[in-house]
Amino acid sequence: MEVKSDDGLFQDAIGRLDAASAYAKIDQEALERLKYPKAILQVSIPLRMDDGSLKMLTGYRVRHDDARGPTKGGIRYHPDVTLAEVKALAFWMTCKCAVVGIPFGGAKGGIKVHPKELTPLELERLSRGYIRRVADFIGPETDIPAPDVYTNAMVMGWMMDEYSKIQRQHCPAVITGKPIPLGGSEGREDATGRGAYYCIKELEKIRQLKPEKTRIAIQGFGNAGRHAARLLHQDGYKIVAVSDSKGGIYNPDGFDVPSLIHFKNKTREVKAVYCKGTVCEIVEADAITNEELLELNVDILIPAALENQVTEHNAPKIKAPVIVEIANGPTTPEADEILTSSGALIVPDILANAGGVTVSYFEWVQNKSGLYWPELEVQDRLKQIIAREFNALYGMSSEKDISMRTAAYAQALSRIGRAIEAKGTQTYYTNHK
Ligand code: NAD
């Protein structure tokens, strides 16, 4: 992965603003505000290891903008976490919430750690320790975390419990993506993958895609990637390649996705397998690298791992005419330019992976109202939002001859801009004298 130094990733992220502002109704003052995160917290977390030793770890929480509501965004555990990355991810959250029209701003958190090297008890102590450090910075009406890379419902449950202990009251709405018995929402687990799936279903109608003839490669077989694979496979799409951090597999005839998921859950490995019940048979399939996966001759490429995977170096070799970005920021601005000018359609991350935050919003609403919805209701509401926004952005991009990414940022900027202006900008005061 290309790692950008210093503030590079954040600067790249906000670099999208100026181009998109040409198509948005936004005051220059409001645009300027979005180039600066509202608040940044860096913490040191003492972690007591199982052998009794102490490790000091660094964590972050960044609140980018709260003009449209409390800030919202996941917490990532990864050895490559940097402040610039967390700032970029928080900025994307601001835009994402605006793209799908939910009343939140953007935030993100992270801990620089190798989570796979921790035991479950160490992971729990770390998660609770992080919350003790950031407890005054987050809250159900200020900033609401959620899962991201290498964090999951179990981690969210520990975090909610720790926050509730600090507040001396039950606070389910402080965090989303929780286990269902702790106030989690039905349908949150697969919401990110499902949102991307709904985008592809809309594209299917517009471009008359035939699922059985549509080959899809997915980089990243974690929470988001594997649910997208499962839903697309269920509809007859051919999932010809998947990968995880250790590498990938490729079979031009397509995989039996439920078997891949079963095997991955059991062994943590991505292997070309066919399972009957609990008996799995590993079959011949070409092992490929993550780099090779991106360059396969497929109809849809889904990056669902980390940022900066598609760069100026591999973009000219990418053959997929459609890219659906489940990962946040998988395409660098340089690669975006190359792919867009070669005619590829990129469904941008701030729309394609917005299913997660949308159902997180539903979870927060349910926690606050105390009334819980059945899974089908969650899915139906999600589908309506994603289909509506997908079609609006696809329409805007065709009408104005701009990329879907520019359309998405323009849409986000108009919505955020209206909120910032309504709170008072120089133009607002001049016009309301
Ligand atoms: P996850 O931890 O469940 O899975 C991450 C996957 O990426 C794993 O399969 C891992 O092996 C793989 N991976 C890690 N490093 C890799 C590398 N260098 N090359 C290829 N694969 C690699 O995380 P997730 O929740 O599925 O998140 C994946 C992406 O989706 C991230 O960019 C995340 O920000 C984004 N996203 C997730 C959610 C959500 O609700 N989970 C919501 C929006 C966006």
Side-chain angles (χ1 to χ4, degrees):
M1 188 184 87
E2 187 179 305
V3 179
K4 300 232 175 184
S5 60
D6 303 316
D7 214 27
L9 200 58
F10 179 63
Q11 294 305 326
D12 277 359
I14 59 169
R16 312 261 192 204
L17 288 180
D18 288 324
S21 67
Y23 303 94
K25 289 191 197 80
I26 184 163
D27 192 295
Q28 276 306 312
E29 212 180 274
L31 192 63
E32 189 61 16
R33 273 184 51 164
L34 292 175
K35 297 180 181 168
Y36 300 88
K38 179 185 167 91
I40 295 175
L41 179 66
Q42 177 175 332
V43 295
S44 301
I45 312 153
L47 171 63
R48 181 70 58 198
M49 307 298 284
D50 287 352
D51 65 5
S53 64
L54 185 79
K55 242 192 194 156
M56 294 302 294
L57 294 165
T58 302
Y60 305 97
R61 185 75 191 165
V62 173
R63 300 184 65 212
H64 174 259
D65 180 76
D66 64 352
R68 301 182 62 260
T71 51
K72 184 95 194 71
I75 297 172
R76 174 174 295 197
Y77 289 178
H78 197 279
D80 295 336
V81 162
T82 61
L83 178 56
E85 180 188 54
V86 181
K87 281 164 67 182
L89 288 161
F91 163 77
W92 287 322
M93 286 306 298
T94 302
C95 298
K96 194 182 303 181
C97 293
V99 161
V100 282
I102 59 176
F104 286 139
K108 204 81 183 190
I111 302 179
K112 193 172 176 57
V113 64
H114 272 286
K116 289 180 189 168
E117 292 174 1
L118 300 181
T119 66
L121 275 174
E122 289 165 348
L123 202 60
E124 179 183 355
R125 286 196 286 271
L126 175 65
S127 306
R128 291 181 183 277
Y130 176 78
I131 288 300
R132 286 196 293 275
R133 286 290 188 263
V134 304
D136 293 334
F137 203 68
I138 62 171
E141 306 299 334
T142 47
D143 179 28
I144 305 135
D148 191 68
V149 173
Y150 297 147
T151 55
N152 55 19
M154 186 172 63
V155 173
M156 298 303 112
W158 293 328
M159 290 183 165
M160 188 280 272
D161 184 49
E162 193 63 29
Y163 184 84
S164 296
K165 281 182 184 160
I166 293 167
Q167 301 299 330
R168 293 186 175 273
Q169 55 182 283
H170 189 58
C171 302
V174 70
I175 208 156
T176 59
K178 300 179 292 293
I180 305 246
L182 294 181
S185 175
E186 297 287 350
R188 174 62 183 87
E189 167 71 18
D190 72 1
T192 303
R194 183 173 286 277
Y197 162 75
Y198 288 149
C199 288
I200 293 172
K201 294 305 282 179
E202 292 309 303
L203 195 66
E204 181 183 305
K205 289 183 220 156
I206 296 169
R207 297 211 165 169
Q208 270 108 46
L209 299 179
K210 301 235 172 330
E212 64 288 355
K213 294 207 170 126
T214 308
R215 297 153 304 164
I216 301 182
I218 305 181
Q219 184 202 40
F221 207 53
N223 171 288
R226 85 177 73 168
H227 284 298
R230 176 180 61 81
L231 292 163
L232 289 162
H233 174 263
Q234 247 171 35
D235 271 11
Y237 281 91
K238 270 167 108 171
I239 309 299
V240 298
V242 302
S243 68
D244 67 6
S245 58
K246 295 186 211 103
I249 48 171
Y250 172 58
N251 178 347
D253 296 328
F255 288 110
D256 177 50
V257 174
S259 295
L260 299 186
I261 294 176
H262 176 80
F263 194 76
K264 170 89 181 163
N265 287 343
K266 225 166 106 180
T267 64
R268 295 182 159 196
E269 280 184 272
V270 167
K271 281 269 163 65
V273 294
Y274 286 83
C275 301
K276 274 209 175 112
T278 52
V279 182
C280 296
E281 188 194 351
I282 300 186
V283 296
E284 280 308 308
D286 287 359
I288 50 167
T289 63
N290 268 296
E291 292 71 34
E292 286 166 340
L293 180 143
L294 296 173
E295 295 165 17
L296 286 173
N297 187 12
V298 291
D299 303 294
I300 301 180
L301 172 65
I302 304 185
L306 296 172
E307 56 269 14
N308 286 344
Q309 298 298 303
V310 181
T311 66
E312 73 221 82
H313 306 298
N314 60 6
K317 294 184 237 156
I318 287 183
K319 298 172 196 75
V322 175
I323 298 170
V324 179
E325 296 181 334
I326 287 188
N328 282 304
T331 311
T332 65
E334 299 80 13
D336 197 34
E337 181 93 39
I338 296 169
L339 289 166
T340 309
S341 52
S342 74
L345 172 77
I346 304 182
V347 183
D349 48 5
I350 55 173
L351 171 67
N353 70 28
V357 75
T358 304
V359 176
S360 273
Y361 164 55
F362 298 161
E363 182 174 331
W364 180 78
V365 168
Q366 293 170 77
N367 291 152
K368 286 171 73 72
S369 70
L371 182 68
Y372 287 82
W373 312 344
E375 187 168 11
L376 282 180
E377 184 173 347
V378 170
Q379 291 171 356
D380 189 47
R381 285 177 187 262
L382 173 65
K383 187 174 175 180
Q384 282 181 37
I385 291 178
I386 298 290
R388 182 188 70 212
E389 300 301 338
F390 181 93
N391 287 303
L393 297 182
Y394 192 90
M396 192 205 279
S397 97
S398 312
E399 190 190 310
K400 298 198 189 301
D401 196 21
I402 54 177
S403 67
M404 270 189 93
R405 191 187 311 282
T406 302
Y409 277 98
Q411 169 80 294
L413 284 182
S414 298
R415 288 179 175 161
I416 301 163
R418 278 202 294 274
I420 295 179
E421 284 156 34
K423 292 181 185 186
T425 58
Q426 190 175 22
T427 325
Y428 178 92
Y429 288 124
T430 314
N431 294 341
H432 287 79
K433 261 204 271 208

mmCIF file of all heavy atoms in Angstrom, residues 225-255:
data_model
loop_
_atom_site.group_PDB
_atom_site.id
_atom_site.type_symbol
_atom_site.label_atom_id
_atom_site.label_comp_id
_atom_site.label_asym_id
_atom_site.label_seq_id
_atom_site.Cartn_x
_atom_site.Cartn_y
_atom_site.Cartn_z
ATOM 1 N N GLY A 225 -16.883 -6.500 2.639
ATOM 2 C CA GLY A 225 -16.673 -7.232 1.392
ATOM 3 C C GLY A 225 -17.431 -8.543 1.346
ATOM 4 O O GLY A 225 -18.026 -8.905 0.333
ATOM 5 N N ARG A 226 -17.454 -9.262 2.466
ATOM 6 C CA ARG A 226 -18.055 -10.597 2.377
ATOM 7 C C ARG A 226 -19.581 -10.544 2.299
ATOM 8 O O ARG A 226 -20.194 -11.369 1.637
ATOM 9 C CB ARG A 226 -17.535 -11.502 3.478
ATOM 10 C CG ARG A 226 -18.190 -11.455 4.790
ATOM 11 C CD ARG A 226 -17.589 -12.457 5.737
ATOM 12 N NE ARG A 226 -16.253 -12.030 6.181
ATOM 13 C CZ ARG A 226 -15.597 -12.592 7.186
ATOM 14 N NH1 ARG A 226 -16.100 -13.611 7.807
ATOM 15 N NH2 ARG A 226 -14.428 -12.147 7.562
ATOM 16 N N HIS A 227 -20.190 -9.536 2.924
ATOM 17 C CA HIS A 227 -21.658 -9.444 2.791
ATOM 18 C C HIS A 227 -22.053 -9.002 1.381
ATOM 19 O O HIS A 227 -23.058 -9.477 0.849
ATOM 20 C CB HIS A 227 -22.238 -8.516 3.849
ATOM 21 C CG HIS A 227 -22.293 -9.163 5.203
ATOM 22 N ND1 HIS A 227 -23.050 -10.291 5.445
ATOM 23 C CD2 HIS A 227 -21.672 -8.869 6.365
ATOM 24 C CE1 HIS A 227 -22.900 -10.657 6.706
ATOM 25 N NE2 HIS A 227 -22.065 -9.816 7.292
ATOM 26 N N ALA A 228 -21.265 -8.112 0.799
ATOM 27 C CA ALA A 228 -21.553 -7.716 -0.589
ATOM 28 C C ALA A 228 -21.442 -8.958 -1.478
ATOM 29 O O ALA A 228 -22.306 -9.218 -2.325
ATOM 30 C CB ALA A 228 -20.576 -6.641 -1.039
ATOM 31 N N ALA A 229 -20.381 -9.754 -1.260
ATOM 32 C CA ALA A 229 -20.177 -10.972 -2.059
ATOM 33 C C ALA A 229 -21.369 -11.916 -1.901
ATOM 34 O O ALA A 229 -21.895 -12.461 -2.875
ATOM 35 C CB ALA A 229 -18.892 -11.664 -1.611
ATOM 36 N N ARG A 230 -21.800 -12.095 -0.669
ATOM 37 C CA ARG A 230 -22.904 -13.029 -0.391
ATOM 38 C C ARG A 230 -24.186 -12.598 -1.106
ATOM 39 O O ARG A 230 -24.840 -13.394 -1.780
ATOM 40 C CB ARG A 230 -23.137 -13.075 1.128
ATOM 41 C CG ARG A 230 -24.314 -13.921 1.578
ATOM 42 C CD ARG A 230 -24.472 -13.911 3.087
ATOM 43 N NE ARG A 230 -24.717 -12.594 3.659
ATOM 44 C CZ ARG A 230 -25.904 -11.990 3.694
ATOM 45 N NH1 ARG A 230 -26.962 -12.582 3.177
ATOM 46 N NH2 ARG A 230 -26.038 -10.790 4.225
ATOM 47 N N LEU A 231 -24.529 -11.307 -0.999
ATOM 48 C CA LEU A 231 -25.782 -10.831 -1.588
ATOM 49 C C LEU A 231 -25.726 -10.872 -3.110
ATOM 50 O O LEU A 231 -26.696 -11.258 -3.768
ATOM 51 C CB LEU A 231 -26.072 -9.402 -1.096
ATOM 52 C CG LEU A 231 -26.402 -9.317 0.399
ATOM 53 C CD1 LEU A 231 -26.279 -7.883 0.906
ATOM 54 C CD2 LEU A 231 -27.796 -9.865 0.668
ATOM 55 N N LEU A 232 -24.574 -10.505 -3.674
ATOM 56 C CA LEU A 232 -24.451 -10.518 -5.134
ATOM 57 C C LEU A 232 -24.479 -11.951 -5.662
ATOM 58 O O LEU A 232 -25.115 -12.245 -6.670
ATOM 59 C CB LEU A 232 -23.139 -9.822 -5.543
ATOM 60 C CG LEU A 232 -23.165 -8.296 -5.328
ATOM 61 C CD1 LEU A 232 -21.761 -7.713 -5.324
ATOM 62 C CD2 LEU A 232 -24.016 -7.622 -6.410
ATOM 63 N N HIS A 233 -23.823 -12.860 -4.945
ATOM 64 C CA HIS A 233 -23.813 -14.272 -5.338
ATOM 65 C C HIS A 233 -25.234 -14.840 -5.294
ATOM 66 O O HIS A 233 -25.657 -15.565 -6.195
ATOM 67 C CB HIS A 233 -22.870 -15.047 -4.405
ATOM 68 C CG HIS A 233 -22.882 -16.526 -4.620
ATOM 69 N ND1 HIS A 233 -23.634 -17.394 -3.857
ATOM 70 C CD2 HIS A 233 -22.236 -17.298 -5.530
ATOM 71 C CE1 HIS A 233 -23.440 -18.631 -4.283
ATOM 72 N NE2 HIS A 233 -22.602 -18.598 -5.286
ATOM 73 N N GLN A 234 -25.975 -14.460 -4.269
ATOM 74 C CA GLN A 234 -27.375 -14.912 -4.138
ATOM 75 C C GLN A 234 -28.207 -14.519 -5.354
ATOM 76 O O GLN A 234 -29.119 -15.213 -5.746
ATOM 77 C CB GLN A 234 -28.000 -14.217 -2.930
ATOM 78 C CG GLN A 234 -28.345 -15.129 -1.793
ATOM 79 C CD GLN A 234 -28.745 -14.309 -0.560
ATOM 80 O OE1 GLN A 234 -29.358 -13.246 -0.637
ATOM 81 N NE2 GLN A 234 -28.384 -14.828 0.594
ATOM 82 N N ASP A 235 -27.861 -13.377 -5.954
ATOM 83 C CA ASP A 235 -28.603 -12.889 -7.116
ATOM 84 C C ASP A 235 -28.054 -13.434 -8.421
ATOM 85 O O ASP A 235 -28.450 -12.968 -9.492
ATOM 86 C CB ASP A 235 -28.519 -11.356 -7.170
ATOM 87 C CG ASP A 235 -29.647 -10.724 -6.396
ATOM 88 O OD1 ASP A 235 -30.347 -11.451 -5.670
ATOM 89 O OD2 ASP A 235 -29.835 -9.506 -6.533
ATOM 90 N N GLY A 236 -27.080 -14.311 -8.353
ATOM 91 C CA GLY A 236 -26.545 -14.943 -9.561
ATOM 92 C C GLY A 236 -25.299 -14.291 -10.124
ATOM 93 O O GLY A 236 -24.773 -14.717 -11.154
ATOM 94 N N TYR A 237 -24.805 -13.213 -9.497
ATOM 95 C CA TYR A 237 -23.552 -12.601 -9.984
ATOM 96 C C TYR A 237 -22.399 -13.571 -9.777
ATOM 97 O O TYR A 237 -22.404 -14.374 -8.835
ATOM 98 C CB TYR A 237 -23.274 -11.292 -9.234
ATOM 99 C CG TYR A 237 -24.097 -10.129 -9.735
ATOM 100 C CD1 TYR A 237 -25.333 -9.836 -9.165
ATOM 101 C CD2 TYR A 237 -23.647 -9.340 -10.783
ATOM 102 C CE1 TYR A 237 -26.100 -8.779 -9.631
ATOM 103 C CE2 TYR A 237 -24.410 -8.281 -11.249
ATOM 104 C CZ TYR A 237 -25.631 -8.006 -10.681
ATOM 105 O OH TYR A 237 -26.389 -6.967 -11.148
ATOM 106 N N LYS A 238 -21.403 -13.486 -10.659
ATOM 107 C CA LYS A 238 -20.242 -14.387 -10.579
ATOM 108 C C LYS A 238 -19.124 -13.710 -9.792
ATOM 109 O O LYS A 238 -18.503 -12.755 -10.293
ATOM 110 C CB LYS A 238 -19.717 -14.673 -11.993
ATOM 111 C CG LYS A 238 -20.352 -15.877 -12.626
ATOM 112 C CD LYS A 238 -20.030 -15.897 -14.075
ATOM 113 C CE LYS A 238 -19.049 -16.940 -14.468
ATOM 114 N NZ LYS A 238 -18.922 -17.074 -15.915
ATOM 115 N N ILE A 239 -18.878 -14.186 -8.592
ATOM 116 C CA ILE A 239 -17.778 -13.636 -7.791
ATOM 117 C C ILE A 239 -16.534 -14.443 -8.173
ATOM 118 O O ILE A 239 -16.362 -15.582 -7.721
ATOM 119 C CB ILE A 239 -18.077 -13.755 -6.273
ATOM 120 C CG1 ILE A 239 -19.467 -13.192 -5.945
ATOM 121 C CG2 ILE A 239 -16.975 -13.062 -5.455
ATOM 122 C CD1 ILE A 239 -19.690 -11.735 -6.256
ATOM 123 N N VAL A 240 -15.685 -13.864 -9.019
ATOM 124 C CA VAL A 240 -14.571 -14.639 -9.579
ATOM 125 C C VAL A 240 -13.285 -14.483 -8.780
ATOM 126 O O VAL A 240 -12.335 -15.253 -8.966
ATOM 127 C CB VAL A 240 -14.307 -14.291 -11.063
ATOM 128 C CG1 VAL A 240 -15.512 -14.635 -11.929
ATOM 129 C CG2 VAL A 240 -13.924 -12.824 -11.247
ATOM 130 N N ALA A 241 -13.201 -13.462 -7.927
ATOM 131 C CA ALA A 241 -11.969 -13.285 -7.140
ATOM 132 C C ALA A 241 -12.281 -12.582 -5.832
ATOM 133 O O ALA A 241 -13.121 -11.678 -5.789
ATOM 134 C CB ALA A 241 -10.946 -12.470 -7.919
ATOM 135 N N VAL A 242 -11.636 -13.051 -4.756
ATOM 136 C CA VAL A 242 -11.710 -12.345 -3.468
ATOM 137 C C VAL A 242 -10.323 -12.418 -2.829
ATOM 138 O O VAL A 242 -9.488 -13.254 -3.208
ATOM 139 C CB VAL A 242 -12.767 -12.935 -2.488
ATOM 140 C CG1 VAL A 242 -14.157 -12.929 -3.075
ATOM 141 C CG2 VAL A 242 -12.389 -14.331 -2.045
ATOM 142 N N SER A 243 -10.092 -11.539 -1.854
ATOM 143 C CA SER A 243 -8.782 -11.557 -1.193
ATOM 144 C C SER A 243 -8.908 -11.038 0.227
ATOM 145 O O SER A 243 -9.916 -10.425 0.589
ATOM 146 C CB SER A 243 -7.792 -10.666 -1.955
ATOM 147 O OG SER A 243 -8.182 -9.314 -1.837
ATOM 148 N N ASP A 244 -7.876 -11.296 1.015
ATOM 149 C CA ASP A 244 -7.749 -10.632 2.310
ATOM 150 C C ASP A 244 -6.320 -10.129 2.433
ATOM 151 O O ASP A 244 -5.597 -10.090 1.434
ATOM 152 C CB ASP A 244 -8.193 -11.538 3.472
ATOM 153 C CG ASP A 244 -7.271 -12.725 3.677
ATOM 154 O OD1 ASP A 244 -6.222 -12.797 3.007
ATOM 155 O OD2 ASP A 244 -7.593 -13.581 4.515
ATOM 156 N N SER A 245 -5.892 -9.774 3.640
ATOM 157 C CA SER A 245 -4.567 -9.157 3.757
ATOM 158 C C SER A 245 -3.455 -10.112 3.343
ATOM 159 O O SER A 245 -2.354 -9.687 3.011
ATOM 160 C CB SER A 245 -4.341 -8.674 5.192
ATOM 161 O OG SER A 245 -4.477 -9.756 6.078
ATOM 162 N N LYS A 246 -3.739 -11.426 3.338
ATOM 163 C CA LYS A 246 -2.676 -12.388 2.991
ATOM 164 C C LYS A 246 -2.621 -12.712 1.506
ATOM 165 O O LYS A 246 -1.697 -13.385 1.047
ATOM 166 C CB LYS A 246 -2.887 -13.676 3.792
ATOM 167 C CG LYS A 246 -2.726 -13.457 5.291
ATOM 168 C CD LYS A 246 -2.805 -14.759 6.051
ATOM 169 C CE LYS A 246 -3.396 -14.553 7.428
ATOM 170 N NZ LYS A 246 -4.795 -14.966 7.557
ATOM 171 N N GLY A 247 -3.614 -12.295 0.721
ATOM 172 C CA GLY A 247 -3.623 -12.589 -0.712
ATOM 173 C C GLY A 247 -4.999 -13.045 -1.149
ATOM 174 O O GLY A 247 -5.937 -13.063 -0.342
ATOM 175 N N GLY A 248 -5.097 -13.443 -2.442
ATOM 176 C CA GLY A 248 -6.429 -13.744 -2.953
ATOM 177 C C GLY A 248 -6.516 -15.031 -3.749
ATOM 178 O O GLY A 248 -5.533 -15.750 -3.917
ATOM 179 N N ILE A 249 -7.730 -15.299 -4.241
ATOM 180 C CA ILE A 249 -7.996 -16.470 -5.070
ATOM 181 C C ILE A 249 -8.805 -16.022 -6.284
ATOM 182 O O ILE A 249 -9.576 -15.064 -6.200
ATOM 183 C CB ILE A 249 -8.785 -17.549 -4.280
ATOM 184 C CG1 ILE A 249 -9.985 -16.917 -3.542
ATOM 185 C CG2 ILE A 249 -7.882 -18.293 -3.314
ATOM 186 C CD1 ILE A 249 -10.930 -17.910 -2.918
ATOM 187 N N TYR A 250 -8.615 -16.748 -7.396
ATOM 188 C CA TYR A 250 -9.289 -16.380 -8.634
ATOM 189 C C TYR A 250 -9.792 -17.632 -9.337
ATOM 190 O O TYR A 250 -9.040 -18.587 -9.519
ATOM 191 C CB TYR A 250 -8.298 -15.635 -9.537
ATOM 192 C CG TYR A 250 -8.810 -15.361 -10.929
ATOM 193 C CD1 TYR A 250 -9.978 -14.629 -11.121
ATOM 194 C CD2 TYR A 250 -8.132 -15.823 -12.055
ATOM 195 C CE1 TYR A 250 -10.462 -14.377 -12.398
ATOM 196 C CE2 TYR A 250 -8.600 -15.571 -13.341
ATOM 197 C CZ TYR A 250 -9.760 -14.842 -13.502
ATOM 198 O OH TYR A 250 -10.247 -14.593 -14.766
ATOM 199 N N ASN A 251 -11.055 -17.614 -9.706
ATOM 200 C CA ASN A 251 -11.627 -18.699 -10.494
ATOM 201 C C ASN A 251 -12.573 -18.057 -11.502
ATOM 202 O O ASN A 251 -13.608 -17.512 -11.107
ATOM 203 C CB ASN A 251 -12.392 -19.671 -9.570
ATOM 204 C CG ASN A 251 -13.041 -20.799 -10.343
ATOM 205 O OD1 ASN A 251 -13.132 -20.750 -11.572
ATOM 206 N ND2 ASN A 251 -13.510 -21.810 -9.629
ATOM 207 N N PRO A 252 -12.217 -18.097 -12.803
ATOM 208 C CA PRO A 252 -13.043 -17.383 -13.795
ATOM 209 C C PRO A 252 -14.483 -17.873 -13.852
ATOM 210 O O PRO A 252 -15.365 -17.162 -14.344
ATOM 211 C CB PRO A 252 -12.313 -17.640 -15.121
ATOM 212 C CG PRO A 252 -11.300 -18.700 -14.854
ATOM 213 C CD PRO A 252 -11.036 -18.754 -13.386
ATOM 214 N N ASP A 253 -14.746 -19.097 -13.340
ATOM 215 C CA ASP A 253 -16.125 -19.597 -13.367
ATOM 216 C C ASP A 253 -16.936 -19.127 -12.163
ATOM 217 O O ASP A 253 -18.137 -19.381 -12.069
ATOM 218 C CB ASP A 253 -16.130 -21.132 -13.399
ATOM 219 C CG ASP A 253 -15.500 -21.649 -14.684
ATOM 220 O OD1 ASP A 253 -15.643 -20.950 -15.713
ATOM 221 O OD2 ASP A 253 -14.839 -22.709 -14.643
ATOM 222 N N GLY A 254 -16.281 -18.487 -11.214
ATOM 223 C CA GLY A 254 -17.005 -17.973 -10.044
ATOM 224 C C GLY A 254 -16.956 -18.938 -8.873
ATOM 225 O O GLY A 254 -16.852 -20.157 -9.059
ATOM 226 N N PHE A 255 -16.997 -18.379 -7.666
ATOM 227 C CA PHE A 255 -16.916 -19.182 -6.443
ATOM 228 C C PHE A 255 -18.292 -19.409 -5.822
ATOM 229 O O PHE A 255 -19.232 -18.645 -6.062
ATOM 230 C CB PHE A 255 -16.041 -18.469 -5.401
ATOM 231 C CG PHE A 255 -14.584 -18.478 -5.751
ATOM 232 C CD1 PHE A 255 -13.935 -17.316 -6.133
ATOM 233 C CD2 PHE A 255 -13.859 -19.660 -5.685
ATOM 234 C CE1 PHE A 255 -12.594 -17.320 -6.447
ATOM 235 C CE2 PHE A 255 -12.501 -19.678 -6.003
ATOM 236 C CZ PHE A 255 -11.875 -18.506 -6.382
#
